[in-house]
PDB file of all heavy atoms in Angstrom:
ATOM      1  N   GLU A 782       8.823   0.311  15.107  1.00 88.00           N
ATOM      2  CA  GLU A 782       7.930   1.103  14.267  1.00 88.00           C
ATOM      3  C   GLU A 782       8.559   1.522  12.951  1.00 88.00           C
ATOM      4  O   GLU A 782       9.634   2.050  12.958  1.00 88.00           O
ATOM      5  CB  GLU A 782       7.413   2.336  15.072  1.00 88.00           C
ATOM      6  CG  GLU A 782       6.366   3.100  14.246  1.00 88.00           C
ATOM      7  CD  GLU A 782       5.669   4.130  15.103  1.00 88.00           C
ATOM      8  OE1 GLU A 782       6.021   4.235  16.301  1.00 88.00           O
ATOM      9  OE2 GLU A 782       4.798   4.906  14.586  1.00 88.00           O
ATOM     10  N   TYR A 783       7.913   1.257  11.872  1.00 88.00           N
ATOM     11  CA  TYR A 783       8.414   1.676  10.529  1.00 88.00           C
ATOM     12  C   TYR A 783       7.482   2.784   9.961  1.00 88.00           C
ATOM     13  O   TYR A 783       6.279   2.733  10.037  1.00 88.00           O
ATOM     14  CB  TYR A 783       8.308   0.501   9.503  1.00 88.00           C
ATOM     15  CG  TYR A 783       9.115  -0.654   9.919  1.00 88.00           C
ATOM     16  CD1 TYR A 783       8.634  -1.731  10.697  1.00 88.00           C
ATOM     17  CD2 TYR A 783      10.484  -0.746   9.601  1.00 88.00           C
ATOM     18  CE1 TYR A 783       9.408  -2.758  11.000  1.00 88.00           C
ATOM     19  CE2 TYR A 783      11.243  -1.756   9.870  1.00 88.00           C
ATOM     20  CZ  TYR A 783      10.702  -2.821  10.578  1.00 88.00           C
ATOM     21  OH  TYR A 783      11.562  -3.862  10.966  1.00 88.00           O
ATOM     22  N   LYS A 784       8.138   3.893   9.498  1.00 89.00           N
ATOM     23  CA  LYS A 784       7.431   5.073   9.072  1.00 89.00           C
ATOM     24  C   LYS A 784       7.833   5.312   7.611  1.00 89.00           C
ATOM     25  O   LYS A 784       8.871   4.967   7.216  1.00 89.00           O
ATOM     26  CB  LYS A 784       7.671   6.302   9.902  1.00 89.00           C
ATOM     27  CG  LYS A 784       7.338   6.205  11.314  1.00 89.00           C
ATOM     28  CD  LYS A 784       7.549   7.441  12.136  1.00 89.00           C
ATOM     29  CE  LYS A 784       6.964   7.370  13.450  1.00 89.00           C
ATOM     30  NZ  LYS A 784       7.104   8.594  14.169  1.00 89.00           N
ATOM     31  N   GLY A 785       6.857   5.941   6.924  1.00 86.00           N
ATOM     32  CA  GLY A 785       7.082   6.211   5.503  1.00 86.00           C
ATOM     33  C   GLY A 785       8.126   7.311   5.320  1.00 86.00           C
ATOM     34  O   GLY A 785       8.425   8.114   6.230  1.00 86.00           O
ATOM     35  N   LYS A 786       8.772   7.324   4.075  1.00 88.00           N
ATOM     36  CA  LYS A 786       9.881   8.280   3.822  1.00 88.00           C
ATOM     37  C   LYS A 786       9.184   9.534   3.269  1.00 88.00           C
ATOM     38  O   LYS A 786       8.339   9.534   2.437  1.00 88.00           O
ATOM     39  CB  LYS A 786      10.783   7.705   2.861  1.00 88.00           C
ATOM     40  CG  LYS A 786      11.585   6.549   3.421  1.00 88.00           C
ATOM     41  CD  LYS A 786      12.522   6.005   2.360  1.00 88.00           C
ATOM     42  CE  LYS A 786      13.443   7.023   1.799  1.00 88.00           C
ATOM     43  NZ  LYS A 786      14.358   6.481   0.825  1.00 88.00           N
ATOM     44  N   LYS A 790       6.972  10.714  -0.520  1.00 90.00           N
ATOM     45  CA  LYS A 790       5.794  11.538  -0.503  1.00 90.00           C
ATOM     46  C   LYS A 790       5.989  12.803  -1.351  1.00 90.00           C
ATOM     47  O   LYS A 790       5.035  13.177  -2.114  1.00 90.00           O
ATOM     48  CB  LYS A 790       5.410  11.973   0.965  1.00 90.00           C
ATOM     49  CG  LYS A 790       4.997  10.792   1.857  1.00 90.00           C
ATOM     50  CD  LYS A 790       4.763  11.240   3.234  1.00 90.00           C
ATOM     51  CE  LYS A 790       4.513  10.081   4.121  1.00 90.00           C
ATOM     52  NZ  LYS A 790       4.433  10.407   5.598  1.00 90.00           N
ATOM     53  N   LYS A 832      -4.618  10.958  -1.176  1.00 91.00           N
ATOM     54  CA  LYS A 832      -3.981   9.583  -1.181  1.00 91.00           C
ATOM     55  C   LYS A 832      -2.652   9.541  -0.467  1.00 91.00           C
ATOM     56  O   LYS A 832      -2.365   8.615   0.218  1.00 91.00           O
ATOM     57  CB  LYS A 832      -3.893   9.010  -2.607  1.00 91.00           C
ATOM     58  CG  LYS A 832      -3.361   7.611  -2.731  1.00 91.00           C
ATOM     59  CD  LYS A 832      -3.357   7.047  -4.078  1.00 91.00           C
ATOM     60  CE  LYS A 832      -2.859   5.651  -4.264  1.00 91.00           C
ATOM     61  NZ  LYS A 832      -2.140   5.077  -3.202  1.00 91.00           N
ATOM     62  N   ILE A 833      -1.844  10.524  -0.856  1.00 89.00           N
ATOM     63  CA  ILE A 833      -0.416  10.478  -0.367  1.00 89.00           C
ATOM     64  C   ILE A 833      -0.403  10.766   1.119  1.00 89.00           C
ATOM     65  O   ILE A 833       0.342  10.149   1.935  1.00 89.00           O
ATOM     66  CB  ILE A 833       0.357  11.479  -1.182  1.00 89.00           C
ATOM     67  CG1 ILE A 833       0.528  11.080  -2.609  1.00 89.00           C
ATOM     68  CG2 ILE A 833       1.754  11.722  -0.532  1.00 89.00           C
ATOM     69  CD1 ILE A 833       0.973  12.170  -3.510  1.00 89.00           C
ATOM     70  N   TYR A 834      -1.038  11.842   1.543  1.00 91.00           N
ATOM     71  CA  TYR A 834      -0.964  12.348   2.897  1.00 91.00           C
ATOM     72  C   TYR A 834      -1.960  11.877   3.863  1.00 91.00           C
ATOM     73  O   TYR A 834      -1.823  12.182   5.079  1.00 91.00           O
ATOM     74  CB  TYR A 834      -0.907  13.926   2.893  1.00 91.00           C
ATOM     75  CG  TYR A 834       0.395  14.370   2.220  1.00 91.00           C
ATOM     76  CD1 TYR A 834       0.401  14.914   0.903  1.00 91.00           C
ATOM     77  CD2 TYR A 834       1.644  14.233   2.846  1.00 91.00           C
ATOM     78  CE1 TYR A 834       1.522  15.329   0.268  1.00 91.00           C
ATOM     79  CE2 TYR A 834       2.759  14.737   2.214  1.00 91.00           C
ATOM     80  CZ  TYR A 834       2.708  15.209   0.882  1.00 91.00           C
ATOM     81  OH  TYR A 834       3.847  15.674   0.302  1.00 91.00           O
ATOM     82  N   TYR A 835      -2.996  11.099   3.366  1.00 91.00           N
ATOM     83  CA  TYR A 835      -3.868  10.638   4.379  1.00 91.00           C
ATOM     84  C   TYR A 835      -3.955   9.058   4.226  1.00 91.00           C
ATOM     85  O   TYR A 835      -3.666   8.330   5.122  1.00 91.00           O
ATOM     86  CB  TYR A 835      -5.349  11.179   4.246  1.00 91.00           C
ATOM     87  CG  TYR A 835      -6.271  10.627   5.271  1.00 91.00           C
ATOM     88  CD1 TYR A 835      -6.193  11.026   6.543  1.00 91.00           C
ATOM     89  CD2 TYR A 835      -7.197   9.677   4.882  1.00 91.00           C
ATOM     90  CE1 TYR A 835      -7.063  10.530   7.462  1.00 91.00           C
ATOM     91  CE2 TYR A 835      -8.050   9.121   5.809  1.00 91.00           C
ATOM     92  CZ  TYR A 835      -7.985   9.534   7.149  1.00 91.00           C
ATOM     93  OH  TYR A 835      -8.821   8.998   8.092  1.00 91.00           O
ATOM     94  N   THR A 836      -4.349   8.566   3.066  1.00 89.00           N
ATOM     95  CA  THR A 836      -4.592   7.178   2.917  1.00 89.00           C
ATOM     96  C   THR A 836      -3.297   6.329   3.087  1.00 89.00           C
ATOM     97  O   THR A 836      -3.281   5.362   3.748  1.00 89.00           O
ATOM     98  CB  THR A 836      -5.276   6.876   1.565  1.00 89.00           C
ATOM     99  OG1 THR A 836      -6.401   7.620   1.417  1.00 89.00           O
ATOM    100  CG2 THR A 836      -5.548   5.375   1.415  1.00 89.00           C
ATOM    101  N   ASP A 837      -2.258   6.813   2.450  1.00 85.00           N
ATOM    102  CA  ASP A 837      -0.920   6.099   2.450  1.00 85.00           C
ATOM    103  C   ASP A 837      -0.007   6.564   3.568  1.00 85.00           C
ATOM    104  O   ASP A 837       1.086   6.049   3.728  1.00 85.00           O
ATOM    105  CB  ASP A 837      -0.177   6.233   1.164  1.00 85.00           C
ATOM    106  CG  ASP A 837      -0.920   5.474   0.032  1.00 85.00           C
ATOM    107  OD1 ASP A 837      -1.753   4.641   0.343  1.00 85.00           O
ATOM    108  OD2 ASP A 837      -0.646   5.769  -1.128  1.00 85.00           O
ATOM    109  N   ASN A 838      -0.433   7.459   4.485  1.00 88.00           N
ATOM    110  CA  ASN A 838       0.341   7.977   5.423  1.00 88.00           C
ATOM    111  C   ASN A 838       0.261   7.174   6.684  1.00 88.00           C
ATOM    112  O   ASN A 838      -0.437   7.493   7.626  1.00 88.00           O
ATOM    113  CB  ASN A 838      -0.006   9.440   5.704  1.00 88.00           C
ATOM    114  CG  ASN A 838       1.031  10.137   6.638  1.00 88.00           C
ATOM    115  OD1 ASN A 838       2.168   9.729   6.821  1.00 88.00           O
ATOM    116  ND2 ASN A 838       0.567  11.181   7.347  1.00 88.00           N
ATOM    117  N   ILE A 839       0.842   5.967   6.654  1.00 90.00           N
ATOM    118  CA  ILE A 839       0.654   5.032   7.784  1.00 90.00           C
ATOM    119  C   ILE A 839       2.097   4.673   8.429  1.00 90.00           C
ATOM    120  O   ILE A 839       3.068   4.949   7.738  1.00 90.00           O
ATOM    121  CB  ILE A 839       0.001   3.724   7.324  1.00 90.00           C
ATOM    122  CG1 ILE A 839       0.798   3.011   6.291  1.00 90.00           C
ATOM    123  CG2 ILE A 839      -1.424   3.946   6.838  1.00 90.00           C
ATOM    124  CD1 ILE A 839       0.340   1.607   5.865  1.00 90.00           C
ATOM    125  N   SER A 840       2.072   4.134   9.566  1.00 91.00           N
ATOM    126  CA  SER A 840       3.243   3.566  10.129  1.00 91.00           C
ATOM    127  C   SER A 840       2.882   2.148  10.582  1.00 91.00           C
ATOM    128  O   SER A 840       1.763   1.859  11.006  1.00 91.00           O
ATOM    129  CB  SER A 840       3.712   4.369  11.297  1.00 91.00           C
ATOM    130  OG  SER A 840       2.831   4.366  12.305  1.00 91.00           O
ATOM    131  N   ILE A 841       3.770   1.237  10.492  1.00 90.00           N
ATOM    132  CA  ILE A 841       3.530  -0.157  10.775  1.00 90.00           C
ATOM    133  C   ILE A 841       4.506  -0.475  12.056  1.00 90.00           C
ATOM    134  O   ILE A 841       5.587  -0.220  12.096  1.00 90.00           O
ATOM    135  CB  ILE A 841       3.967  -1.079   9.621  1.00 90.00           C
ATOM    136  CG1 ILE A 841       3.040  -0.841   8.482  1.00 90.00           C
ATOM    137  CG2 ILE A 841       3.850  -2.517  10.124  1.00 90.00           C
ATOM    138  CD1 ILE A 841       3.314  -1.636   7.184  1.00 90.00           C
ATOM    139  N   VAL A 842       3.743  -1.070  13.045  1.00 91.00           N
ATOM    140  CA  VAL A 842       4.412  -1.314  14.361  1.00 91.00           C
ATOM    141  C   VAL A 842       4.296  -2.870  14.522  1.00 91.00           C
ATOM    142  O   VAL A 842       3.278  -3.424  14.451  1.00 91.00           O
ATOM    143  CB  VAL A 842       3.746  -0.648  15.520  1.00 91.00           C
ATOM    144  CG1 VAL A 842       4.390  -0.931  16.812  1.00 91.00           C
ATOM    145  CG2 VAL A 842       3.688   0.862  15.186  1.00 91.00           C
ATOM    146  N   LEU A 849       0.833  -6.984  14.715  1.00 89.00           N
ATOM    147  CA  LEU A 849       1.146  -6.030  13.682  1.00 89.00           C
ATOM    148  C   LEU A 849       0.036  -4.926  13.790  1.00 89.00           C
ATOM    149  O   LEU A 849      -1.117  -5.202  13.641  1.00 89.00           O
ATOM    150  CB  LEU A 849       1.197  -6.583  12.286  1.00 89.00           C
ATOM    151  CG  LEU A 849       1.550  -5.589  11.184  1.00 89.00           C
ATOM    152  CD1 LEU A 849       2.557  -6.250  10.298  1.00 89.00           C
ATOM    153  CD2 LEU A 849       0.431  -5.101  10.395  1.00 89.00           C
ATOM    154  N   LEU A 850       0.513  -3.666  14.083  1.00 91.00           N
ATOM    155  CA  LEU A 850      -0.439  -2.534  14.163  1.00 91.00           C
ATOM    156  C   LEU A 850      -0.165  -1.631  13.014  1.00 91.00           C
ATOM    157  O   LEU A 850       0.950  -1.288  12.646  1.00 91.00           O
ATOM    158  CB  LEU A 850      -0.215  -1.761  15.473  1.00 91.00           C
ATOM    159  CG  LEU A 850      -0.292  -2.637  16.753  1.00 91.00           C
ATOM    160  CD1 LEU A 850       0.055  -1.659  17.921  1.00 91.00           C
ATOM    161  CD2 LEU A 850      -1.665  -3.102  17.020  1.00 91.00           C
ATOM    162  N   ILE A 851      -1.237  -1.091  12.474  1.00 91.00           N
ATOM    163  CA  ILE A 851      -1.160  -0.108  11.443  1.00 91.00           C
ATOM    164  C   ILE A 851      -1.710   1.202  12.071  1.00 91.00           C
ATOM    165  O   ILE A 851      -2.844   1.232  12.523  1.00 91.00           O
ATOM    166  CB  ILE A 851      -2.024  -0.473  10.191  1.00 91.00           C
ATOM    167  CG1 ILE A 851      -1.415  -1.768   9.489  1.00 91.00           C
ATOM    168  CG2 ILE A 851      -1.914   0.694   9.174  1.00 91.00           C
ATOM    169  CD1 ILE A 851      -2.116  -2.196   8.383  1.00 91.00           C
ATOM    170  N   LYS A 852      -0.888   2.272  12.054  1.00 93.00           N
ATOM    171  CA  LYS A 852      -1.222   3.512  12.703  1.00 93.00           C
ATOM    172  C   LYS A 852      -1.369   4.605  11.661  1.00 93.00           C
ATOM    173  O   LYS A 852      -0.565   4.641  10.717  1.00 93.00           O
ATOM    174  CB  LYS A 852      -0.298   3.897  13.800  1.00 93.00           C
ATOM    175  CG  LYS A 852      -0.280   3.031  14.981  1.00 93.00           C
ATOM    176  CD  LYS A 852       0.730   3.600  16.002  1.00 93.00           C
ATOM    177  CE  LYS A 852       0.618   2.891  17.277  1.00 93.00           C
ATOM    178  NZ  LYS A 852       1.541   3.468  18.334  1.00 93.00           N
ATOM    179  N   ARG A 853      -2.260   5.531  11.839  1.00 92.00           N
ATOM    180  CA  ARG A 853      -2.348   6.665  10.990  1.00 92.00           C
ATOM    181  C   ARG A 853      -2.447   7.882  11.934  1.00 92.00           C
ATOM    182  O   ARG A 853      -3.422   7.962  12.744  1.00 92.00           O
ATOM    183  CB  ARG A 853      -3.496   6.650   9.979  1.00 92.00           C
ATOM    184  CG  ARG A 853      -3.664   7.835   9.157  1.00 92.00           C
ATOM    185  CD  ARG A 853      -4.830   7.678   8.183  1.00 92.00           C
ATOM    186  NE  ARG A 853      -4.580   6.726   7.228  1.00 92.00           N
ATOM    187  CZ  ARG A 853      -5.402   5.630   6.931  1.00 92.00           C
ATOM    188  NH1 ARG A 853      -6.466   5.563   7.628  1.00 92.00           N
ATOM    189  NH2 ARG A 853      -5.169   4.743   5.985  1.00 92.00           N
ATOM    190  N   PHE A 854      -1.506   8.807  11.816  1.00 90.00           N
ATOM    191  CA  PHE A 854      -1.448  10.010  12.748  1.00 90.00           C
ATOM    192  C   PHE A 854      -1.445   9.598  14.186  1.00 90.00           C
ATOM    193  O   PHE A 854      -2.054  10.249  15.041  1.00 90.00           O
ATOM    194  CB  PHE A 854      -2.523  10.973  12.427  1.00 90.00           C
ATOM    195  CG  PHE A 854      -2.658  11.423  11.015  1.00 90.00           C
ATOM    196  CD1 PHE A 854      -3.704  11.195  10.201  1.00 90.00           C
ATOM    197  CD2 PHE A 854      -1.551  12.082  10.507  1.00 90.00           C
ATOM    198  CE1 PHE A 854      -3.783  11.604   8.932  1.00 90.00           C
ATOM    199  CE2 PHE A 854      -1.617  12.644   9.193  1.00 90.00           C
ATOM    200  CZ  PHE A 854      -2.712  12.316   8.443  1.00 90.00           C
ATOM    201  N   GLY A 855      -0.782   8.541  14.475  1.00 87.00           N
ATOM    202  CA  GLY A 855      -0.566   8.069  15.949  1.00 87.00           C
ATOM    203  C   GLY A 855      -1.786   7.225  16.462  1.00 87.00           C
ATOM    204  O   GLY A 855      -1.679   6.767  17.510  1.00 87.00           O
ATOM    205  N   LYS A 856      -2.833   7.124  15.711  1.00 92.00           N
ATOM    206  CA  LYS A 856      -3.942   6.328  16.121  1.00 92.00           C
ATOM    207  C   LYS A 856      -4.016   4.950  15.463  1.00 92.00           C
ATOM    208  O   LYS A 856      -3.754   4.884  14.205  1.00 92.00           O
ATOM    209  CB  LYS A 856      -5.270   7.116  15.850  1.00 92.00           C
ATOM    210  CG  LYS A 856      -5.408   8.388  16.603  1.00 92.00           C
ATOM    211  CD  LYS A 856      -6.654   9.040  16.301  1.00 92.00           C
ATOM    212  CE  LYS A 856      -6.774  10.398  16.996  1.00 92.00           C
ATOM    213  NZ  LYS A 856      -7.934  11.156  16.661  1.00 92.00           N
ATOM    214  N   VAL A 858      -5.233   1.988  13.428  1.00 91.00           N
ATOM    215  CA  VAL A 858      -6.246   1.818  12.475  1.00 91.00           C
ATOM    216  C   VAL A 858      -6.690   0.413  12.391  1.00 91.00           C
ATOM    217  O   VAL A 858      -7.808   0.018  12.321  1.00 91.00           O
ATOM    218  CB  VAL A 858      -5.784   2.307  11.106  1.00 91.00           C
ATOM    219  CG1 VAL A 858      -6.756   2.074  10.020  1.00 91.00           C
ATOM    220  CG2 VAL A 858      -5.431   3.738  11.131  1.00 91.00           C
ATOM    221  N   LYS A 859      -5.628  -0.439  12.302  1.00 90.00           N
ATOM    222  CA  LYS A 859      -5.852  -1.948  12.188  1.00 90.00           C
ATOM    223  C   LYS A 859      -4.899  -2.732  13.128  1.00 90.00           C
ATOM    224  O   LYS A 859      -3.792  -2.192  13.330  1.00 90.00           O
ATOM    225  CB  LYS A 859      -5.698  -2.501  10.761  1.00 90.00           C
ATOM    226  CG  LYS A 859      -6.864  -2.105   9.855  1.00 90.00           C
ATOM    227  CD  LYS A 859      -6.690  -2.815   8.479  1.00 90.00           C
ATOM    228  CE  LYS A 859      -7.733  -2.422   7.492  1.00 90.00           C
ATOM    229  NZ  LYS A 859      -7.502  -3.046   6.173  1.00 90.00           N
ATOM    230  N   GLN A 883       5.274  -2.454  -3.836  1.00 82.00           N
ATOM    231  CA  GLN A 883       5.586  -2.763  -2.430  1.00 82.00           C
ATOM    232  C   GLN A 883       4.261  -2.888  -1.618  1.00 82.00           C
ATOM    233  O   GLN A 883       3.898  -2.056  -0.847  1.00 82.00           O
ATOM    234  CB  GLN A 883       6.382  -1.623  -1.846  1.00 82.00           C
ATOM    235  CG  GLN A 883       7.818  -1.655  -2.228  1.00 82.00           C
ATOM    236  CD  GLN A 883       8.645  -0.641  -1.384  1.00 82.00           C
ATOM    237  OE1 GLN A 883       8.121   0.275  -0.821  1.00 82.00           O
ATOM    238  NE2 GLN A 883       9.963  -0.845  -1.438  1.00 82.00           N
ATOM    239  N   ILE A 885       2.089  -5.690   0.863  1.00 87.00           N
ATOM    240  CA  ILE A 885       2.226  -6.799   1.692  1.00 87.00           C
ATOM    241  C   ILE A 885       0.861  -7.496   1.728  1.00 87.00           C
ATOM    242  O   ILE A 885      -0.134  -6.861   2.234  1.00 87.00           O
ATOM    243  CB  ILE A 885       2.623  -6.475   3.185  1.00 87.00           C
ATOM    244  CG1 ILE A 885       4.003  -5.714   3.134  1.00 87.00           C
ATOM    245  CG2 ILE A 885       2.718  -7.631   4.037  1.00 87.00           C
ATOM    246  CD1 ILE A 885       4.433  -5.166   4.500  1.00 87.00           C
ATOM    247  N   TYR A 897      -4.486  -6.475   1.320  1.00 87.00           N
ATOM    248  CA  TYR A 897      -3.128  -6.084   1.291  1.00 87.00           C
ATOM    249  C   TYR A 897      -2.841  -4.727   2.020  1.00 87.00           C
ATOM    250  O   TYR A 897      -3.750  -3.986   2.321  1.00 87.00           O
ATOM    251  CB  TYR A 897      -2.584  -5.941  -0.181  1.00 87.00           C
ATOM    252  CG  TYR A 897      -3.183  -4.731  -0.928  1.00 87.00           C
ATOM    253  CD1 TYR A 897      -2.443  -3.559  -0.966  1.00 87.00           C
ATOM    254  CD2 TYR A 897      -4.425  -4.896  -1.521  1.00 87.00           C
ATOM    255  CE1 TYR A 897      -3.066  -2.508  -1.681  1.00 87.00           C
ATOM    256  CE2 TYR A 897      -4.934  -3.847  -2.176  1.00 87.00           C
ATOM    257  CZ  TYR A 897      -4.231  -2.623  -2.237  1.00 87.00           C
ATOM    258  OH  TYR A 897      -4.732  -1.572  -2.942  1.00 87.00           O
ATOM    259  N   ILE A 898      -1.563  -4.568   2.371  1.00 88.00           N
ATOM    260  CA  ILE A 898      -1.129  -3.347   2.980  1.00 88.00           C
ATOM    261  C   ILE A 898      -0.276  -2.650   1.985  1.00 88.00           C
ATOM    262  O   ILE A 898       0.794  -3.227   1.557  1.00 88.00           O
ATOM    263  CB  ILE A 898      -0.391  -3.516   4.340  1.00 88.00           C
ATOM    264  CG1 ILE A 898      -1.243  -4.318   5.249  1.00 88.00           C
ATOM    265  CG2 ILE A 898       0.024  -2.251   4.923  1.00 88.00           C
ATOM    266  CD1 ILE A 898      -0.471  -4.907   6.438  1.00 88.00           C
ATOM    267  N   ASP A 899      -0.583  -1.380   1.659  1.00 86.00           N
ATOM    268  CA  ASP A 899       0.265  -0.606   0.694  1.00 86.00           C
ATOM    269  C   ASP A 899       1.474  -0.062   1.423  1.00 86.00           C
ATOM    270  O   ASP A 899       1.292   0.820   2.259  1.00 86.00           O
ATOM    271  CB  ASP A 899      -0.620   0.427   0.067  1.00 86.00           C
ATOM    272  CG  ASP A 899       0.194   1.147  -1.094  1.00 86.00           C
ATOM    273  OD1 ASP A 899       1.215   0.785  -1.384  1.00 86.00           O
ATOM    274  OD2 ASP A 899      -0.383   2.125  -1.641  1.00 86.00           O
ATOM    275  N   ALA A 900       2.641  -0.541   1.087  1.00 85.00           N
ATOM    276  CA  ALA A 900       3.797  -0.060   1.720  1.00 85.00           C
ATOM    277  C   ALA A 900       4.697   0.720   0.805  1.00 85.00           C
ATOM    278  O   ALA A 900       5.944   0.692   0.856  1.00 85.00           O
ATOM    279  CB  ALA A 900       4.581  -1.277   2.338  1.00 85.00           C
ATOM    280  N   THR A 901       4.040   1.469  -0.089  1.00 83.00           N
ATOM    281  CA  THR A 901       4.806   2.147  -1.130  1.00 83.00           C
ATOM    282  C   THR A 901       5.648   3.307  -0.541  1.00 83.00           C
ATOM    283  O   THR A 901       6.693   3.650  -0.969  1.00 83.00           O
ATOM    284  CB  THR A 901       3.814   2.788  -2.149  1.00 83.00           C
ATOM    285  OG1 THR A 901       3.015   1.744  -2.768  1.00 83.00           O
ATOM    286  CG2 THR A 901       4.567   3.541  -3.319  1.00 83.00           C
ATOM    287  N   ASN A 902       5.163   3.934   0.572  1.00 84.00           N
ATOM    288  CA  ASN A 902       5.895   5.017   1.166  1.00 84.00           C
ATOM    289  C   ASN A 902       7.053   4.616   1.980  1.00 84.00           C
ATOM    290  O   ASN A 902       7.800   5.487   2.478  1.00 84.00           O
ATOM    291  CB  ASN A 902       4.996   5.891   2.000  1.00 84.00           C
ATOM    292  CG  ASN A 902       4.099   6.757   1.086  1.00 84.00           C
ATOM    293  OD1 ASN A 902       4.376   6.970  -0.072  1.00 84.00           O
ATOM    294  ND2 ASN A 902       2.991   7.212   1.703  1.00 84.00           N
ATOM    295  N   PHE A 903       7.263   3.326   2.108  1.00 87.00           N
ATOM    296  CA  PHE A 903       8.460   2.867   3.015  1.00 87.00           C
ATOM    297  C   PHE A 903       9.715   2.639   2.117  1.00 87.00           C
ATOM    298  O   PHE A 903       9.489   2.343   0.931  1.00 87.00           O
ATOM    299  CB  PHE A 903       8.117   1.529   3.674  1.00 87.00           C
ATOM    300  CG  PHE A 903       6.964   1.725   4.664  1.00 87.00           C
ATOM    301  CD1 PHE A 903       5.601   1.463   4.305  1.00 87.00           C
ATOM    302  CD2 PHE A 903       7.192   2.144   6.008  1.00 87.00           C
ATOM    303  CE1 PHE A 903       4.543   1.655   5.172  1.00 87.00           C
ATOM    304  CE2 PHE A 903       6.103   2.347   6.934  1.00 87.00           C
ATOM    305  CZ  PHE A 903       4.816   2.066   6.512  1.00 87.00           C
ATOM    306  N   MET A 911      10.272  -5.948   6.941  1.00 89.00           N
ATOM    307  CA  MET A 911       8.984  -6.296   7.300  1.00 89.00           C
ATOM    308  C   MET A 911       8.540  -7.600   6.872  1.00 89.00           C
ATOM    309  O   MET A 911       7.986  -8.468   7.564  1.00 89.00           O
ATOM    310  CB  MET A 911       8.030  -5.207   6.970  1.00 89.00           C
ATOM    311  CG  MET A 911       8.102  -3.956   7.717  1.00 89.00           C
ATOM    312  SD  MET A 911       6.789  -2.748   7.363  1.00 89.00           S
ATOM    313  CE  MET A 911       7.355  -2.085   5.942  1.00 89.00           C
TER     314      MET A 911
END
Side-chain angles (χ1 to χ4, degrees):
E782 184 170 0
Y783 297 94
K784 294 185 177 185
K786 293 176 59 175
K790 293 174 188 175
K832 181 178 180 343
I833 294 164
Y834 293 102
Y835 182 76
T836 306
D837 293 345
N838 191 22
I839 61 171
S840 63
I841 296 178
V842 180
L849 180 136
L850 304 175
I851 298 178
K852 292 183 173 183
R853 180 176 293 126
F854 302 118
K856 295 181 182 175
V858 178
K859 286 187 181 179
Q883 284 190 338
I885 301 172
Y897 70 96
I898 301 168
D899 187 4
T901 306
N902 285 342
F903 296 94
M911 285 188 281

